Amino acid sequence: MSEEIIRYEGDTTTRELWDGGATVSTGVSRKLSPKNRSFSMVVFQQAKPILDSEVNLAQQIQNHLRADYIRQTLSDGFLKLKPSYGVTNVKNCIRLNEAVANMQGWIIQMSGANRNDAKSDIVFPAAPNSGTRDDLAYVEIFFEPVAPTGSREDDDENVYKYGGLKSGTLTNDLLDEVAGAETSRRVQLRWNIRTVSDVNFTTYPDGVNDSSRVKARGGAVSDSDYSYAKIADGVYRAGDGSNAACVAMNCIDGYVYALPLYKVRRRNQTAYNADDNPHGAPGYGTSGAPQRPDGLFHDVIAPEDVVLIYPVAATYKNATDEATESLTQKEILCQLGQANSELETWKNQRVQQGTVMIYNKFVAFGGVINAIAGTRNVKITKTGTYNAANYSVFYLDGQMVSIADTQDSVAAVPTNPGDAAVSYYAYVEKVGNNYTVKVGEEVPEGLLGLYRITVPAGDTAANLNSATFSDIRRVESRYRGAYGKTPATTVTLPYAAVGTNYSVTLDIEATTNSRETKLRVTDKRNYGFTIQSVGEADNICVRWTMVQAKA
């Protein structure tokens, strides 16, 4: 990412290269690349001129080495992202109190967008007049040359604060006052938080690659014809590295990168009516308009409207190493930890050690499972009644996930010709890049159970009229404030402790998507204790060490 210069116009004035030397354009003489060459430095020689291309190459080599080091240790995604939802002094807004991302080894501080401080406002288009709509927020990242003020060429002369196109500008100090002329130019790492309305998230869960709605713009004044393609989980790129792409998107290397941020479900701004317009909502502060039972507005982005789709930067893996994100690898890590624990443990009451998993999966809203009339299939809906516009939201594997109301053979419940009742379970499982509902004889470890379906003895009917659906969901409607049920696991000590005056040390070995959490030990007994997780992390692999106090 921008260790190569594909298009750089520069100053086109002609001058002598040196006193009595060749007369040439004062732009860039050559465009050299450090990639795939393993250069460590540029060696300048005495009695020979230092060429612009070589000085540029020296910078490019260092940029490449630094960025490549970060690429090998940190995946693309957000290092920090702290949003605020709800009422702000700007309508249709999500406020980012802090946002730092890594893209291809370059660190981006996303501050000041649409503001005069270090925060950033993502301002969405006004709500639709009818129905509902899914809007996308994402950030574009690219490199663009900066020219001195008054340049005769077409390069941009703005020096954007923090590199953000909507963060205001700083003084352009490129022109050297002593020389009285242009001596060099700059290349700025730039970013721009963009929103797009009516994106097809059903086909494109990250939204950015919906080419019918989303096109790359970069530093151009309007969208280009280039659409985004996925290059890693949650990471997208537009362009082909050509000069034409540089021109179309006003970038230096022919590429514009993108990270998705949020999927936002929008209500409409027509008056609310439970029967005729259940998705309508008044504007915030509007008096006399029909209010919704949930107290929501069409111009305020509420927490329940938002689905998090951004990638999280994680250490010690390549951005494309999807295996490190899988639950299977976390379980393998735990098994290795347990084996190591058995070798190191003294196998007595003094010091004991082990590894456990803590799962933090829940339903934010919806996730109702019931029968499809006349069949042995089940459907998943938000309310229990199918509505094509509705969807359920879950927190799974460290991210918010939505599943649209579905009634076309989601999963089937077997018949029961036996003489005793049989229970089956509906649960959510990730298949490929999507989450879906399955029915099995048990809820697999680490997955989210939704309903227990009890089939009575001798039930061989072609429908589920005799089956009983029991709700086993963990519903956390106030998950952004406090959990109703704190994620926890109970550890049973291999050897009973002498009393409860022992200490427990906890070390987190892995979590999915590197979400944060704090662990605490509660309910210590002589036979074991409980570990609670306070935070957003899921699939937490915890190594515990118990040390018995001396008598």
Side-chain angles (χ1 to χ4, degrees):
M1 183 179 179
S2 190
E3 285 102 60
E4 290 193 83
I5 298 175
I6 302 301
R7 177 179 179 268
Y8 193 99
E9 186 173 338
D11 185 2
T12 57
T13 306
T14 58
R15 293 187 178 92
E16 287 184 343
L17 188 58
W18 60 82
D19 189 20
T23 300
V24 297
S25 168
T26 55
V28 175
S29 60
R30 286 196 299 165
K31 300 166 189 173
L32 303 176
S33 172
K35 290 189 176 180
N36 304 320
R37 288 168 170 81
S38 294
F39 290 152
S40 62
M41 63 184 296
V42 175
V43 179
F44 300 104
Q45 302 178 67
Q46 64 179 350
K48 293 187 177 181
I50 298 175
L51 301 181
D52 64 290
S53 57
E54 295 171 328
V55 175
N56 293 337
L57 178 61
Q59 298 179 84
Q60 291 171 259
I61 290 172
Q62 297 309 310
N63 286 343
H64 179 68
L65 292 175
R66 183 188 67 249
D68 201 46
Y69 173 77
I70 296 176
R71 292 181 192 120
Q72 299 302 318
T73 58
L74 188 67
S75 68
D76 293 341
F78 283 88
L79 296 157
K80 297 180 181 179
L81 191 61
K82 297 180 179 180
S84 295
Y85 310 110
V87 177
T88 64
N89 60 338
V90 179
K91 294 182 178 180
N92 305 297
C93 174
I94 295 177
R95 180 157 294 162
L96 301 183
N97 301 299
E98 190 174 10
V100 180
N102 169 51
M103 172 57 78
Q104 296 286 288
W106 294 80
I107 304 301
I108 302 100
Q109 179 182 349
M110 294 192 298
S111 299
N114 298 308
R115 297 182 60 84
N116 294 320
D117 54 22
K119 299 179 182 181
S120 287
D121 283 351
I122 307 175
V123 183
F124 290 82
N129 292 316
S130 62
T132 62
R133 188 183 72 206
D134 288 331
D135 290 354
L136 166 71
Y138 70 104
V139 58
E140 285 190 337
I141 301 164
F142 57 98
F143 288 84
E144 187 174 359
V146 182
T149 301
S151 170
R152 296 181 300 174
E153 285 72 41
D154 293 332
D155 286 342
D156 191 357
E157 298 175 9
N158 290 311
V159 179
Y160 291 105
K161 192 174 183 180
Y162 306 110
L165 300 193
K166 300 173 184 174
S167 300
T169 59
L170 301 171
T171 302
N172 185 320
D173 57 1
L174 274 66
L175 191 66
D176 186 86
E177 295 181 357
V178 175
E182 174 184 335
T183 58
S184 65
R185 294 202 173 185
R186 311 287 188 265
V187 175
Q188 189 173 32
L189 171 59
R190 293 180 169 178
W191 54 273
N192 186 23
I193 299 176
R194 303 186 59 192
T195 59
V196 180
S197 299
D198 199 21
V199 172
N200 180 4
F201 286 96
T202 302
T203 305
Y204 309 100
D206 286 341
V208 176
N209 54 337
D210 181 358
S211 58
S212 66
R213 300 290 301 160
V214 183
K215 297 291 186 181
R217 179 177 298 180
V221 296
S222 59
D223 287 353
S224 69
D225 292 330
Y226 289 94
S227 55
Y228 285 102
K230 187 174 184 179
I231 60 173
D233 278 345
V235 185
Y236 292 83
R237 184 177 68 187
D240 54 14
S242 66
N243 187 71
C246 293
V247 174
M249 299 183 290
N250 267 17
C251 55
I252 198 170
D253 58 356
Y255 293 107
V256 172
Y257 293 78
L259 296 174
L261 282 165
Y262 301 109
K263 168 187 174 182
V264 179
R265 173 56 59 95
R266 306 300 304 276
R267 289 168 288 280
N268 68 68
Q269 49 185 304
T270 303
Y272 168 78
N273 184 288
D275 297 321
D276 298 330
N277 188 25
H279 301 296
Y284 178 73
T286 303
S287 60
Q291 302 295 307
R292 294 176 56 88
D294 53 18
L296 298 178
F297 304 94
H298 70 73
D299 53 4
V300 174
I301 308 297
E304 51 264 54
D305 302 330
V306 181
V307 178
L308 313 180
I309 57 175
Y310 59 85
V312 176
T315 55
Y316 309 117
K317 72 180 186 65
N318 293 322
T320 55
D321 186 6
E322 297 180 357
T324 58
E325 293 293 341
S326 69
L327 178 58
T328 301
Q329 179 141 337
K330 302 297 189 298
E331 293 172 340
I332 292 173
L333 181 61
C334 286
Q335 292 169 5
L336 292 174
Q338 290 170 341
N340 186 55
S341 172
E342 292 176 0
L343 291 174
E344 295 178 354
T345 295
W346 294 357
K347 293 185 177 181
N348 58 31
Q349 296 171 320
R350 183 67 63 192
V351 176
Q352 301 181 59
Q353 193 176 68
T355 313
V356 293
M357 295 288 291
I358 303 176
Y359 301 102
N360 182 26
K361 296 175 170 63
F362 55 81
V363 178
F365 59 82
V368 178
I369 301 293
N370 51 19
I372 299 176
T375 74
R376 295 194 70 86
N377 295 323
V378 298
K379 63 178 181 288
I380 180 170
T381 60
K382 177 181 178 181
T383 63
T385 301
Y386 173 76
N387 184 329
N390 282 347
Y391 60 97
S392 303
V393 171
F394 309 84
Y395 188 78
L396 304 168
D397 302 326
Q399 62 184 341
M400 302 303 295
V401 174
S402 64
I403 299 179
D405 277 18
T406 310
Q407 64 174 356
D408 298 328
S409 302
V410 175
V413 180
T415 59
N416 179 21
D419 54 5
V422 177
S423 290
Y424 296 94
Y425 294 86
Y427 56 90
V428 181
E429 182 176 9
K430 188 175 184 180
V431 179
N433 293 323
N434 300 312
Y435 289 83
T436 187
V437 173
K438 290 193 173 184
V439 170
E441 295 181 357
E442 61 182 8
V443 179
E445 182 181 359
L447 301 186
L448 176 64
L450 299 176
Y451 279 74
R452 180 175 62 251
I453 306 169
T454 303
V455 181
D459 181 6
T460 59
N463 54 58
L464 293 172
N465 293 348
S466 299
T468 302
F469 288 74
S470 301
D471 188 350
I472 61 170
R473 297 172 299 167
R474 176 191 169 201
V475 179
E476 299 286 356
S477 59
R478 297 179 64 250
Y479 62 92
R480 295 190 183 278
Y483 289 137
K485 181 179 180 182
T486 302
T489 189
T490 298
V491 174
T492 301
L493 292 170
Y495 301 90
V498 179
T500 60
N501 187 25
Y502 55 82
S503 63
V504 179
T505 301
L506 304 175
D507 296 300
I508 299 175
E509 295 196 335
T511 66
T512 301
N513 284 331
S514 299
R515 297 296 189 193
E516 296 181 350
T517 190
K518 293 183 179 179
L519 302 178
R520 61 190 181 195
V521 175
T522 64
D523 196 28
K524 289 198 289 188
R525 307 289 178 91
N526 68 317
Y527 56 82
F529 52 89
T530 297
I531 304 175
Q532 292 183 336
S533 170
V534 182
E536 296 182 335
D538 190 11
N539 305 323
I540 313 165
C541 183
V542 182
R543 177 183 290 277
W544 57 268
T545 303
M546 170 270 197
V547 179
Q548 182 80 57
K550 293 182 179 181

